[in-house]
Amino acid sequence: MNWDALGAIAELVGAIAVLLTLIYLAVQIRQNNKLAEVQLMQAESSFEHFLLEYSIFLQTNQEIGETLAAMLVLISYRGERPITHGDYMSARYGLMPLKVGIQNCYQRYKQGLISESVYLSDTLIYLEEFGGYMLLLDLPMTEEFRKELCNRVGNNLEKQLHSGSLDQKGMDRWQEVFSGRKLQSFHGAWST
């Protein structure tokens, strides 16, 4: 055999090895994509299960519901039921798991790890319903999530203002909450 024939055989073997490697990588990528899809569905299912469990918790915990209602009355100038420190702590720690779950979902959504449909259908409902309380209670959160929360709650409040279920004084008071100025006077509303 001459060197030219050996070189041609070596090139053929090398080309076959490269082709087999590419086929193997394509199969691996396809399997990884399927695994990623399954993990995405599990993450979405887990989050939806959390929201269901949290809804049951809220429905069975009358104290948190009463506190949130009293906070809404306080902020909207429609009479005042004194908010005790115990009420405040109950609402704060009662809403903390929801805030953590929603903030986590928001971060996953921004990273493409939660589908837009799950974010829009599940998360926004809770943001619009409880986001104002999360701001009012000054729950710890990332600045990016706080901006999203202010935006979503603000849009919801605009709808309430136009429908007449919120007056301008109430809207102004919520605006104070968004800017952080309201928190001190809210905390001062605790009965002693």
Side-chain angles (χ1 to χ4, degrees):
M1 260 195 179
N2 64 23
W3 287 105
D4 288 336
L6 283 173
I9 292 171
E11 283 184 30
L12 181 62
V13 169
I16 291 171
V18 167
L19 181 62
L20 291 174
T21 302
L22 289 175
I23 291 170
Y24 173 76
L25 288 175
V27 169
Q28 289 296 314
I29 289 171
R30 181 177 292 154
Q31 288 176 347
N32 284 342
N33 285 343
K34 287 182 181 179
L35 180 62
E37 288 175 15
V38 168
Q39 289 174 335
L40 175 64
M41 288 188 307
Q42 286 175 334
E44 291 173 350
S45 176
S46 176
F47 181 68
E48 289 174 340
H49 181 73
F50 163 77
L51 291 177
L52 178 63
E53 297 256 335
Y54 193 80
S55 295
I56 292 169
F57 164 75
L58 285 177
Q59 291 172 4
T60 58
N61 192 324
Q62 185 177 358
E63 182 180 319
I64 289 179
E66 290 173 357
T67 299
L68 295 179
M71 288 167 50
L72 184 60
V73 165
L74 181 68
I75 199 71
S76 64
Y77 280 105
R78 294 199 173 135
E80 293 196 10
R81 169 190 167 253
I83 306 293
T84 66
H85 184 68
D87 289 337
Y88 170 77
M89 296 307 285
S90 172
R92 184 173 172 87
Y93 291 107
L95 285 179
M96 188 70 76
L98 180 63
K99 190 278 307 179
V100 169
I102 290 176
Q103 181 174 267
N104 187 1
C105 183
Y106 172 74
Q107 294 300 330
R108 287 180 178 186
Y109 166 69
K110 295 303 264 182
Q111 296 170 356
L113 301 174
I114 293 278
S115 68
E116 184 175 30
S117 62
V118 167
Y119 179 70
L120 293 176
S121 65
D122 295 336
T123 307
L124 291 185
I125 292 169
Y126 284 87
L127 278 179
E128 289 177 356
E129 183 71 26
F130 296 103
Y133 299 115
M134 292 175 191
L135 292 168
L136 188 62
L137 293 165
D138 198 23
L139 298 182
M141 60 188 77
T142 65
E143 194 56 37
E144 180 184 18
F145 182 67
R146 183 177 298 278
K147 287 177 184 175
E148 172 74 2
L149 200 53
C150 286
N151 185 33
R152 294 293 177 180
V153 172
N155 289 341
N156 191 32
L157 291 172
E158 286 289 336
K159 291 176 192 173
Q160 290 180 28
L161 183 64
H162 293 298
S163 73
S165 61
L166 180 70
D167 60 13
Q168 188 59 49
K169 283 184 180 180
M171 185 66 167
D172 293 343
R173 210 155 173 182
W174 274 112
Q175 291 300 330
E176 291 175 9
V177 170
F178 293 161
S179 67
R181 292 190 306 259
K182 181 68 189 94
L183 293 173
Q184 290 177 338
S185 56
F186 171 73
H187 289 232
W190 296 336
S191 65
T192 53

